[in-house]
Amino acid sequence: MKKYMVVSGSDIQELETEVTRLLNEGWELAGGISAAYKHEHGEGKHIPGHLAYAQAMIKEG
């Protein structure tokens, strides 16, 4: 059975570190990195727009 995971975050270096760790654990890349402009509101807070990055990963078993 294949497993699927999406790793995401706003800090590209932290994402690189996490993806590298997963690659060393046998996960494989599923496509390329994605980036989107994210603007958040919630519970009386306003988080200014920022880039959010995501990488899909797959693993057998």
Side-chain angles (χ1 to χ4, degrees), residues 40-47:
E40 300 178 73
H41 293 276
E43 297 185 23
K45 294 186 283 183
H46 172 254
I47 301 171

Side-chain angles (χ1 to χ4, degrees), residues 16-53:
E16 288 174 355
T17 299
E18 181 65 6
V19 168
T20 298
R21 183 185 71 76
L22 291 167
L23 288 170
N24 288 325
E25 290 182 6
W27 288 84
E28 297 178 18
L29 301 174
I33 192 168
S34 296
Y37 187 77
K38 190 174 183 182
H39 191 88
E40 300 178 73
H41 293 276
E43 297 185 23
K45 294 186 283 183
H46 172 254
I47 301 171
H50 60 280
L51 280 176
Y53 305 94

Side-chain angles (χ1 to χ4, degrees), residues 4-24:
Y4 178 83
M5 172 190 318
V6 176
V7 183
S8 63
S10 297
D11 184 305
I12 192 69
Q13 285 80 24
E14 288 178 12
L15 183 72
E16 288 174 355
T17 299
E18 181 65 6
V19 168
T20 298
R21 183 185 71 76
L22 291 167
L23 288 170
N24 288 325

